[in-house]
Amino acid sequence: MVSSLNFKRNRMATGRSRIPSNSIPQVLCPDPIINLAQLAAVKAREAAEAYFTLRHFDCAIMQARAAKELYPEFPGMDNYMAAYQIHSAVSHKKNWYHVLGITNPAVADSEAIKKQYKRLALALHPDKNGSIAADGAFKYVKAARDVLSDHAKRESYDKSLSPRSQGARGSNNRKPAQQPRSNACSRKRAGPDANTTGGDGSFYKKTIKIVRKSNPGQRATVVMLSVCRVA
């Protein structure tokens, strides 16, 4: 009887996972494929946190997205990505509207700003977000709310943004400067005489017609050659 109990205990011990339980999203199920997906998702989440500490925010977002794709039931990965995206927006010098996820500032009223702040504050709460990026992201979100929820501060902030946006539009609409033509001949036509200059003494142009006919019964080959030279 004692030997049979020991045998059962040994079987239970060998079947138990060696991976710490706190690093697994939930208890391993009997399906080994799902187990591998869970473990891969954990590794992707750990890689995302490591990339964040190195300030590689885009790589952190990619790893967090991979963790969610590997195991969609992995809890809290959307909140991890939200924290990384806020840090990425600040690092790229985006405005406070972009930090709060407001795509159209012109139609965003105080109620919309308040709604976005509550959504992000909930996603970045320590009970909902275990990422090391959550605390800093919440500070950025709070700073954005403090500026955009106050009418006077928002008006002053919008005025500070307008020169940047106008400069960006101007730079996009400005035609690139034309580079000087490398060709010696300009587009100006030559004078009445093909051997003379075009009137400004800059160049002359001459067209040469070459006719080649080797045999009497063969069609002639005609080559038109234009020669340009700077005077």
Side-chain angles (χ1 to χ4, degrees):
M1 185 67 180
V2 176
S3 60
S4 62
L5 289 175
N6 292 334
F7 177 74
K8 290 181 180 180
R9 289 175 183 173
N10 292 333
R11 288 187 60 185
M12 293 175 63
T14 55
R16 190 179 296 117
S17 175
R18 296 181 180 180
I19 300 173
S21 59
N22 57 357
S23 64
I24 302 175
Q26 64 182 30
V27 180
L28 291 176
C29 67
D31 191 345
I33 302 299
I34 297 180
N35 291 346
L36 292 175
Q38 291 179 3
L39 298 179
V42 171
K43 292 297 183 183
R45 182 186 64 182
E46 293 174 355
E49 293 286 87
Y51 276 123
F52 172 77
T53 59
L54 297 174
R55 299 186 63 82
H56 297 323
F57 304 128
D58 294 337
C59 293
I61 295 171
M62 291 175 57
Q63 289 295 326
R65 187 178 292 114
K68 184 179 179 180
E69 292 176 355
L70 287 167
Y71 190 65
E73 290 79 12
F74 205 161
M77 292 316 303
D78 288 331
N79 297 340
Y80 274 60
M81 280 189 283
Y84 300 148
Q85 288 168 352
I86 291 171
H87 282 275
S88 178
V90 174
S91 68
H92 288 88
K93 301 185 185 302
K94 301 293 184 179
N95 57 50
W96 288 132
Y97 293 103
H98 194 279
V99 171
L100 288 181
I102 298 174
T103 57
N104 193 354
V107 299
D109 54 4
S110 58
E111 191 65 28
I113 294 172
K114 184 179 180 180
K115 182 178 180 181
Q116 283 294 102
Y117 169 76
K118 286 185 176 179
R119 181 184 68 84
L120 290 175
L122 181 62
L124 299 173
H125 193 274
D127 293 340
K128 300 288 185 179
N129 197 326
S131 173
I132 57 178
D135 185 49
F138 177 75
K139 292 179 180 178
Y140 289 134
V141 169
K142 186 177 183 299
R145 190 278 310 266
D146 293 342
V147 172
L148 300 181
S149 61
D150 186 271
H151 180 72
K153 292 181 180 179
R154 181 180 179 182
E155 185 176 0
S156 177
Y157 181 70
D158 290 342
K159 289 181 180 179
S160 68
L161 291 178
S162 57
R164 300 178 188 176
S165 59
Q166 291 176 1
R169 289 195 296 269
S171 62
N172 292 334
N173 294 332
R174 188 183 300 113
K175 293 182 179 179
Q178 293 184 356
Q179 298 294 331
R181 294 176 59 86
S182 59
N183 199 346
C185 297
S186 65
R187 292 181 178 273
K188 188 173 181 180
R189 295 179 60 86
D193 186 0
N195 295 325
T196 61
T197 63
D200 56 354
S202 59
F203 71 95
Y204 73 87
K205 179 178 179 181
K206 185 175 182 180
T207 302
I208 304 172
K209 182 178 180 181
I210 303 174
V211 180
R212 181 179 181 183
K213 188 175 182 182
S214 58
N215 298 322
Q218 187 178 5
R219 293 183 60 183
T221 303
V222 180
V223 178
M224 303 296 294
L225 180 63
S226 297
V227 180
C228 300
R229 191 178 74 178
V230 178

